[in-house]
Amino acid sequence: ALHRAVPEATIVLDHVGGVIGVAPFAERKQEVFAQWRKDMADLATCPNVFVKIGGLAMPLFGFGFNNREVPPGSEELAPAWKPFVETSIELFGADRCMFESNFPPDKQTCSYPVMWNTFKRIVADYSQAEKAALFAGTARKVYRLEI
């Protein structure tokens, strides 16, 4: 509603929209994902909405990796996070998505390097231009950074 009321506003959606996968939602993961995808598709019709892809290591998402004695590596996290990452990029395009760090909250699940390596694994087959947008270009554009 905000974008439609103020279309010149730049809106950044944090943590891929903050999906809840715990408590009563823990047993309804497919239903939650389907509703999230529908809502994201609606938001994607608003050209000034951008998505920060991250925060997926927060326990709120319900992956359960934070409950393990030994933290997961990127080879385990990538398949779990991939549906959220790829759907966001599919709907918004790499030029409206940016990878984010959500540290220290994400530290409950994985280390900082593991988080970034997970993103690298997920987009390994993407073009150089898409990777450049996801890892830096979109953030530069949205936040008007001259680096």
Side-chain angles (χ1 to χ4, degrees):
L2 175 62
H3 171 75
R4 289 174 178 91
V6 188
E8 66 276 7
T10 297
I11 299 169
V12 179
L13 181 66
D14 206 8
H15 310 325
V16 297
V19 176
I20 301 174
V22 295
F25 302 101
E27 303 303 319
R28 299 170 34 207
K29 292 190 185 305
Q30 289 181 342
E31 178 186 342
V32 168
F33 184 85
Q35 183 62 52
W36 169 82
R37 190 183 198 300
K38 180 181 176 290
D39 293 341
M40 291 292 279
D42 183 49
L43 281 173
T45 65
C46 304
N48 286 350
V49 176
F50 296 81
V51 180
K52 285 173 71 175
I53 299 174
L56 293 158
M58 291 187 299
L60 181 69
F61 277 85
F63 292 114
F65 292 113
N66 58 299
N67 297 322
R68 295 177 29 174
E69 238 178 83
V70 177
S74 61
E75 65 283 347
E76 286 184 85
L77 293 175
W81 296 2
K82 190 173 186 172
F84 294 97
V85 173
E86 287 195 333
T87 300
S88 296
I89 297 167
E90 170 197 329
L91 294 172
F92 288 83
D95 61 328
R96 290 175 52 207
C97 291
M98 61 189 108
F99 287 127
E100 67 163 320
S101 162
N102 187 44
F103 265 74
D106 280 348
K107 189 176 183 180
Q108 297 171 80
T109 291
C110 64
S111 70
Y112 190 77
V114 165
M115 179 202 63
W116 287 108
N117 285 337
T118 300
F119 293 145
K120 289 178 189 176
R121 281 182 187 277
I122 294 170
V123 299
D125 294 332
Y126 284 50
S127 72
Q128 285 305 110
E130 289 168 317
K131 290 177 192 176
L134 292 164
F135 284 100
T138 301
R140 281 191 192 119
K141 176 177 63 177
V142 169
Y143 298 113
R144 298 180 190 110
L145 303 173
E146 294 187 28
I147 302 172

